[in-house]
Amino acid sequence: MSSYRQEYAWAKKLLTKAGCESPAFDALCLFSHAFGMDRTGLALSGDKEADGEKVPSFRGQVRSRAGGYPLQYLLGEWEFMGLPFSVGEGVLIPRADTELLCETGLSFLKGRRTKRVLELCAGSGAVAVSLAHFDRDAQVTAVEKSPQALSYLRQNVARHGSRVTVAEGDVLVKPAQDAVYDLILSNPPYIPAGEIGRLMKEVSFEPRMALDGGEDGLLFYRAIVTHYPSLLCPGGMLAVEIGAEQGEQVRRLFEEAGFSQVAVGRDLAGLDRLVSGIWPGGKRTAQVCNFDRNTV
């Protein structure tokens, strides 16, 4: 039988050989997930015989990771804005780059009298739930079309005790009625359809529905700036995550739609990552948007 240290070393070696970008980190994550032992535990108890009942499952997950299967799906959850979110096949994995979208929304809401928020293409709910968690006065509605993603969205809303309202809806179709929101956020699919097959292997396991932005990657941005300004109150903000090469194109779409103060935000790597704009609009009265709603 092997020791815990030998199991970890085997995993690290296999992942290194497979070309994983962070073999030591991935090996430790899977090791901790399988054996309930962190780095300190490994240092203190590494020479003990590994739990024979857990070894086969651990090795199977390591082999899956070596084959390109996402680490996040194997672990069943991933962190976003310091909070754990349940993830799995059928839902986009939350990424640190998207925290800029959430932080932009939180900054905009700070000090506002009303904080009505709509998130489009909500996926796992990472943005909607985090925003509601860090701003307790926010009234958030999260819209998602995919049945699989909706399942994770509901799980994460329930997991964090959030007051987020979950709504099923197709972002490409204009809602039947107007509503009033102070802030609309979205991390929509934005990868050009022809480029999806050239992405990293592990991305191929994520739902194409959450990646495919149409022929030029701008399909959802056009729909959002066409259908959703009417749902914003005067002075309300629309903010969307973008691909690193899409800043100028999406900025132009915002300006052509009538947004003011249009800005392109950059991530920690200095890449274009977000476009935001303020809707000047006119006088509005509150109504209810006719999404297919159900609150968790």
Side-chain angles (χ1 to χ4, degrees), residues 94-166:
R95 289 168 168 81
D97 288 341
T98 306
E99 292 185 357
L100 177 62
L101 182 65
C102 191
E103 291 164 354
T104 298
L106 288 168
S107 178
F108 176 76
L109 292 176
K110 190 174 182 180
R112 290 186 66 90
R113 183 177 59 84
T114 58
K115 302 183 178 186
R116 300 157 296 191
V117 183
L118 175 66
E119 188 196 1
L120 306 172
C121 304
S124 67
V127 171
V129 171
S130 295
L131 195 146
H133 176 84
F134 289 107
D135 191 330
R136 299 295 184 178
D137 294 324
Q139 303 170 33
V140 185
T141 296
V143 177
E144 176 56 52
K145 178 182 179 181
S146 162
Q148 296 94 333
L150 275 166
S151 175
Y152 284 102
L153 173 56
R154 294 186 179 105
Q155 286 181 48
N156 287 316
V157 169
R159 178 176 188 174
H160 293 287
S162 173
R163 291 182 294 108
V164 174
T165 298
V166 176

Side-chain angles (χ1 to χ4, degrees), residues 95-104 186-188 190-191 221 239-248 250 263-276:
R95 289 168 168 81
D97 288 341
T98 306
E99 292 185 357
L100 177 62
L101 182 65
C102 191
E103 291 164 354
T104 298
S186 185
N187 175 21
Y190 57 71
I191 299 172
Y221 300 119
V240 297
E241 180 170 325
I242 61 171
E245 307 297 327
Q246 296 173 321
E248 180 60 26
V250 179
V264 180
R266 293 182 175 178
D267 59 23
L268 294 176
L271 301 174
D272 289 352
R273 188 57 59 193
L274 178 144
V275 173
S276 63

Side-chain angles (χ1 to χ4, degrees), residues 6-197:
Q6 288 172 323
E7 288 298 322
Y8 169 75
W10 170 82
K12 180 181 175 182
K13 182 178 180 180
L14 183 65
L15 295 179
T16 299
K17 185 177 180 180
C20 290
E21 290 187 2
S22 52
F25 174 79
D26 290 12
L28 184 61
C29 285
L30 294 172
F31 180 88
S32 298
H33 180 65
F35 299 112
M37 187 181 298
D38 60 14
R39 187 182 299 275
T40 300
L42 179 60
L44 296 175
S45 304
D47 293 329
K48 292 183 179 179
E49 185 176 302
D51 187 333
E53 293 184 357
K54 297 179 179 179
V55 167
S57 176
F58 169 65
R59 291 187 177 184
Q61 290 202 325
V62 172
R63 291 189 180 98
S64 292
R65 180 69 190 109
Y69 196 74
L71 173 67
Q72 297 88 340
Y73 287 174
L74 291 167
L75 298 177
E77 69 175 35
W78 200 244
E79 185 178 286
F80 181 86
M81 295 288 289
L83 302 173
F85 287 87
S86 299
V87 295
E89 289 190 7
V91 70
L92 190 72
I93 296 166
R95 289 168 168 81
D97 288 341
T98 306
E99 292 185 357
L100 177 62
L101 182 65
C102 191
E103 291 164 354
T104 298
L106 288 168
S107 178
F108 176 76
L109 292 176
K110 190 174 182 180
R112 290 186 66 90
R113 183 177 59 84
T114 58
K115 302 183 178 186
R116 300 157 296 191
V117 183
L118 175 66
E119 188 196 1
L120 306 172
C121 304
S124 67
V127 171
V129 171
S130 295
L131 195 146
H133 176 84
F134 289 107
D135 191 330
R136 299 295 184 178
D137 294 324
Q139 303 170 33
V140 185
T141 296
V143 177
E144 176 56 52
K145 178 182 179 181
S146 162
Q148 296 94 333
L150 275 166
S151 175
Y152 284 102
L153 173 56
R154 294 186 179 105
Q155 286 181 48
N156 287 316
V157 169
R159 178 176 188 174
H160 293 287
S162 173
R163 291 182 294 108
V164 174
T165 298
V166 176
E168 183 176 1
D170 186 345
V171 173
L172 297 178
V173 178
K174 184 177 181 178
Q177 297 180 18
D178 283 347
V180 174
Y181 295 99
D182 301 281
L183 172 66
I184 298 178
L185 300 172
S186 185
N187 175 21
Y190 57 71
I191 299 172
E195 296 181 10
I196 292 177

